[in-house]
Amino acid sequence: MFSILDMINHALGYVNVNLKIKNQIYIAIGIAGNLYLGYVAIRLMQNGAWLRGLLYMLVFLVLIYFIVLNVLYYFTNKTAKYDLSPKIEKLLGGKPKEALAAEKNGQQNQQQPYIPANGIFDGQELLPATVKTSRAEQDNVHQIVDQLQAANIVRLDYGGLSDKEIMQQAQATGDSVYAIGQGIQIPFSQLKLENHHLVIYAGINQMDQKPVGHIKRVGLTDVHDAHEDYKLYLASTVITGGMEKIAGRNSTIEQAGDYQVTAQVAYEDRES
């Protein structure tokens, strides 16, 4: 049984798969192996080998705990109430130096120039907006990125990271590394009310503005209710996502992706 699982494990090593998916496959393999270990423990105790059987059963129960943690981490958005992983990591010496270096490089190199296009607002008056982008609006976002790149405002170079550094960062965080970095703020953006929708118009300047998405929610409130009760102002519009690299078996894998538009909205009471 363990030989079969080992063969599957080695076979996965020859295939470039998204790191999260690969970990999910490893968890499934681990569950199968642990079930077999539990079966062996029970059979040993049935045959009178109590000490050996109990040791196997103890290992089986410990592995169940870690499997549950991994299932929660890789298959859901939940967290375990009693997670001993940080303590175990600290006991074993903390994160590897390579992982810490990759995270530090990512923080230093992923920052794109910040352009306060729409002014400075009090942080207490800002709420994140949920933005939905149609295919036509997605095309407009791509055009804006191309214009920003042509104007040398944005560089789609993964923050200047080498493939080795990208590989280290992707392995350390389990996340993709984007060519655009953590995002770029669009130089010009504004809200327009069109057909009962709050549409975000953005571009490299006011003359070249295009619709890039429409707001669905402001914070947790439906945009129609928010617009009825408050005056809404677009504080910032940021483009994230796009071309990305993930960790493969021996090298990074580059793949195209859609851009996302994220926005923050300032508000004030209509009666003020």
Side-chain angles (χ1 to χ4, degrees), residues 16-27:
N16 281 328
V17 183
N18 180 285
L19 189 62
K20 184 175 181 180
I21 296 175
K22 183 177 285 189
N23 283 326
Q24 290 174 341
I25 296 172
Y26 283 146
I27 291 169

Side-chain angles (χ1 to χ4, degrees), residues 3-260:
S3 298
I4 295 173
L5 294 175
D6 188 56
M7 288 173 59
I8 296 173
N9 183 34
H10 277 80
L12 285 172
Y14 296 104
V15 182
N16 281 328
V17 183
N18 180 285
L19 189 62
K20 184 175 181 180
I21 296 175
K22 183 177 285 189
N23 283 326
Q24 290 174 341
I25 296 172
Y26 283 146
I27 291 169
I29 294 172
I31 291 172
N34 201 42
L35 289 174
Y36 180 71
L37 181 63
Y39 167 77
V40 171
I42 293 172
R43 293 295 297 169
L44 285 170
M45 288 187 286
Q46 287 176 342
N47 292 327
W50 286 98
L51 180 59
R52 191 176 175 189
L54 287 172
L55 287 174
Y56 277 35
M57 183 58 68
L58 180 62
V59 174
F60 169 76
L61 294 174
V62 170
L63 289 177
I64 282 181
Y65 168 76
F66 288 106
I67 287 173
V68 169
L69 288 182
N70 278 278
V71 168
L72 289 174
Y73 182 78
Y74 286 107
F75 289 91
T76 72
N77 294 321
K78 299 178 181 178
T79 56
K81 186 176 181 180
Y82 302 103
D83 186 358
L84 300 178
S85 301
K87 294 182 179 179
I88 295 173
E89 181 182 75
K90 186 177 181 180
L91 185 66
L92 296 176
K95 292 183 178 180
K97 292 181 179 179
E98 294 81 1
L100 294 172
E103 290 179 1
K104 185 176 180 180
N105 283 335
Q107 292 172 356
Q108 291 176 346
N109 294 314
Q110 289 282 310
Q111 296 290 341
Q112 294 285 356
Y114 176 78
I115 306 168
N118 291 12
I120 299 172
F121 294 87
D122 187 339
Q124 294 179 344
E125 299 171 347
L126 294 178
L127 285 173
T130 302
V131 181
K132 186 174 182 180
T133 304
S134 67
R135 176 47 56 187
E137 290 167 338
Q138 181 68 218
D139 292 339
N140 290 338
V141 176
H142 277 270
Q143 290 180 28
I144 292 171
V145 172
D146 290 341
Q147 290 174 322
L148 291 172
Q149 191 177 13
N152 291 321
I153 296 174
V154 62
R155 297 181 300 277
L156 303 181
D157 62 353
Y158 296 92
L161 296 176
S162 66
D163 263 6
K164 182 179 179 181
E165 291 170 327
I166 292 172
M167 185 78 166
Q168 290 175 344
Q169 183 177 328
Q171 289 176 333
T173 63
D175 297 325
S176 301
V177 179
Y178 292 96
I180 203 171
Q182 293 181 344
I184 180 69
Q185 183 158 319
I186 306 176
F188 175 84
S189 59
Q190 66 175 345
L191 281 178
K192 291 185 180 181
L193 184 61
E194 293 183 349
N195 299 322
H196 305 289
H197 291 289
L198 275 179
V199 181
I200 298 176
Y201 274 75
I204 60 171
N205 55 50
Q206 189 172 3
M207 291 174 58
D208 292 326
Q209 61 179 303
K210 306 175 181 69
V212 296
H214 56 278
I215 294 177
K216 300 292 290 183
R217 304 186 73 83
V218 177
L220 299 176
T221 307
D222 181 81
V223 66
H224 299 293
D225 295 333
H227 187 250
E228 185 176 337
D229 296 335
Y230 300 97
K231 297 176 184 177
L232 302 178
Y233 306 92
L234 191 60
S236 66
T237 309
V238 177
I239 298 174
T240 60
M243 190 68 70
E244 63 181 351
K245 286 187 178 181
I246 60 174
R249 169 62 177 171
N250 297 312
S251 62
T252 59
I253 304 170
E254 188 170 48
Q255 54 191 23
D258 285 338
Y259 288 108
Q260 287 83 47

